[in-house]
Amino acid sequence: MVTACLLLVSGPAHASALDETAQAFIALHGPRTLLDVDEHGARFAGRFASQPHAGTPDMIALAFLERWEALWGFDPAAALTVSHVVTLSSLTYVRLDQEHEGVRVEGADVVITIDPVGRVRQVGSAFEWPAGFADPSPSLSPAGAAAIAASQLPHLVPTGQSRLIYLPGSSTLPLAWVIRTHSSTGPQAPEVYVDAHSGSILQVLDTNVYADGNVYEINPTADPTVVTLELLNLTSTTGLDGTYAIAYACTAPDGGNMCPGRTRHAVPDGSGHYLFSPDEPSLVDPFSEVMGYYHLDLINRHMEDAYGHVHTCDGHRWMDIHVNMDYENAWFGDQDDDGCRDLTMGQSTQDFTYDSAIVYHEFGHGINSTYCELRRDFDTVGPMYDGAGLNEAFADYWAATLHDRPVIGEYASIGEPGELGFRDLSDHAVCPDDLVGESHYDSPIMSTTMWDIRTTLGQDKTDRLALAILAALTDRPTLDEAGRTAQSQAAALEGTGLFTATDVIAVDAAVVDHGLVGCEHIVPMEHGDTHLFIIPVWRWEHDTASPNQFSMYAPPTATRLSAIIDQYTSDGGYTVYVKRGSHVVMGREGPDIWVEDHDFSFTASPDRVSFTEWSDPPLEPDTTYYFTVMHNGPMMALAVEALIIAPEPGDASEDPAADSGDEPVEDPAADLPGEPEDDPVEEPAGDVLPDPGSITATNGCDCALVL
């Protein structure tokens, strides 16, 4: 299979040279090579094996990049700096960060996979080609930037930590101070990006990774028995301090800070044991501390012993866990501002720490972040949250694989204990049909793929594949890149002897079955289909767009094509944009998003957008219509239903409105397709949607809390 996507639009000479280099690469490495090239250069090369190289992994990586410099479109020696090197399952991963004048370009990296004999097996590139860079010498000091952040965002309190970066997303990349803060009005720990020259705030991103929660040996739903187990790796005789975990309880909330300090309620008895009974929903529950320690120690130790994954921060291998937080969520983030990320576990009527899968899920975010940042991105379809979705997907996978249980959060989920959990990895999610636009909702596309692979290959091989994928992904990956990387890494693991040819075929089949390769954020809808679209907040106080567009095909006999829209959440308004023949083209410069190319727009939050035989302009049969939504405000959820009337040739019209004599009503905002006022068309019932009651918008948080 050859996939060479050569979008050569940079001029004939450049296009010709890039085309020749790409063809030469495929000719040398074989027809199974996966190669994805845009107008600048190659973004992905996988499922190939170079000639063996001698030297250290970073030397091999740079030598290979320099050998094919014309393919990548940049000078590796001048533009890249080795970030870190890690070896997993005999494969070595070299991650190189893009820098300009010694300043890192955030999220712009190149990752090279090398096998044990020195052959390069995959290259992933998230390199940036801006028109220019701002002056690398900042006009503002870190303290000055922190003062601006505190002045303009008074609910955020700077922690004193900062870093200097270039921020992608503009034609000229701005130099920015990234100021760490914590919120006084909620549990968020945002990073504020302040332009290091102008002092303007470029973006605010929450660094906590939010998820779901539970715990016993598994959880009280799976087995309500409280068992007495040895607490391993304790290094203290007076508290729950260990080699791999340290457990604390949160103090009472202070304003918006849900866990402002930490204390301990779990102290050993005279024999040194921690034999407490569950005391849910108490906020001074020592049993919760013991459970947090036990399960965090278990997964941290397991990942190190089984796969060589070593969690380290500030020279130690433990991770802190804070329990008994009076807040209905859990997250992975630096709660105590010590520079190391922790697990913080909340509760409602159920204590999230009582469900082991939630502890494992949160630690799973820590596993993921060891290898790649999994950031969001933007393309001409709109904002892309694939990185965040992959973060949730692999966190779910780590939670499920340890106990061989695909349901995540069966005890801690909203409602009575025993209800179905937040997500079930034994389900079957496919791109694009199951795209919603929010990371937790979109994560099953990858997590169910991994579970299907695990069902065929077993835990050990699939866990190793999961680590290999994470190590090889760039920092701003797409679902397409994740699928190609899964295929490429399976082939690389075959080269080490850990996978068989049959294993590689099984991985390929699962990736194809879930629609990962070529996954595009456009959801095709047919008559009667109903689909949920979530529009997260892209940047505070800026317009945002749906991460997913949807399309409807008008057959040759079509007389009506309608999108019926039901707004679930948010009081804010929205505008619908439509384009015929190809997707609505979105543009971005820094924090600003806009529509670059469309045919029609519908303002004032329409509950229906229609094209008919009598509208002006009329419906064009045998044409595909593409739709997207722009919005300014909190997270929004919309249910869209497709109504397409297309009688069979020779049949009488199936659209009663066509013979009603009613004139179309024009959209007062523009000369757009109209709609009869009293349309008696019977609308299809549509599919059952996810319960919108579980969708909540956070207070200034970049991601949704799906509880």
Side-chain angles (χ1 to χ4, degrees), residues 414-498:
I414 295 298
E416 294 300 318
E419 291 182 0
L420 183 65
F422 292 102
R423 292 175 291 278
D424 187 342
L425 274 62
S426 65
D427 290 341
H428 187 80
V430 179
C431 178
D433 296 350
D434 293 299
L435 288 170
V436 173
E438 192 277 332
S439 59
H440 298 82
Y441 279 84
D442 290 348
S443 65
I445 295 172
M446 188 69 199
S447 62
T448 61
T449 302
M450 296 303 299
W451 197 256
D452 282 356
I453 294 172
R454 187 185 187 276
T455 301
T456 304
L457 271 60
Q459 177 183 356
D460 183 76
K461 287 183 176 181
T462 311
D463 288 1
R464 293 181 186 278
L465 176 63
L467 287 171
I469 293 169
L470 288 166
L473 285 175
T474 61
D475 284 342
R476 292 176 291 166
T478 62
L479 287 168
D480 172 74
E481 181 187 336
R484 294 175 188 272
T485 297
Q487 294 176 319
S488 179
Q489 290 299 306
L493 287 167
E494 181 188 10
T496 70
L498 290 173

